[in-house]
Amino acid sequence: MTVHKLCNETDLNIGDKKAFKIADEHILLYRLDDGFYATQAGCTHLFKSMEKGLLIDGDKIQCPLHRATFDVRTGEPTLWAHFPPGIQLLNKVRKEKPLKTYTLKIDNGEISVDLSVAA
Ligand code: FES
């Protein structure tokens, strides 16, 4: 079974995010002004969960640890880890890497994730 129910559309308002653990995948679901998106919850820099990260500019998730920022729609980094000063030394071995994104299905207001097509 690769399609798993997450929640209902009405469970999130625009600007909200919610974390799920499904079949060993840690997923962050976001509601943006144009719909729902999902990425891996763990930052690709040093794996910190971004469940408590800030959603900035309406469509980017900022990691709470070193402030790497990712486009929620594509998973691409828009700003790599840059806090605290000196973290750039670590970045020599922790290169920019996008977040995995997931395909969502919405049926009768119910949101599901299809784990067979994660990108
Ligand atoms: S763990 Fe996320 S920016 Fe370092």
Side-chain angles (χ1 to χ4, degrees), residues 43 45-48 63 65-68 81:
C43 178
H45 182 239
L46 278 181
F47 318 113
K48 174 74 175 174
C63 177
L65 193 54
H66 308 117
R67 301 183 186 170

Side-chain angles (χ1 to χ4, degrees), residues 60-75:
K60 296 174 192 66
I61 184 71
Q62 183 186 62
C63 177
L65 193 54
H66 308 117
R67 301 183 186 170
T69 305
F70 302 86
D71 185 311
V72 164
R73 294 184 180 92
T74 65

Side-chain angles (χ1 to χ4, degrees), residues 38-40 44 50 59-62 68-80 96-101 119:
T39 69
Q40 70 182 72
T44 53
M50 296 192 290
D59 62 357
K60 296 174 192 66
I61 184 71
Q62 183 186 62
T69 305
F70 302 86
D71 185 311
V72 164
R73 294 184 180 92
T74 65
E76 290 294 327
T78 58
L79 183 62
W80 199 227
E96 289 191 22
K97 185 178 175 188
L99 299 175
K100 189 179 347 178
T101 59

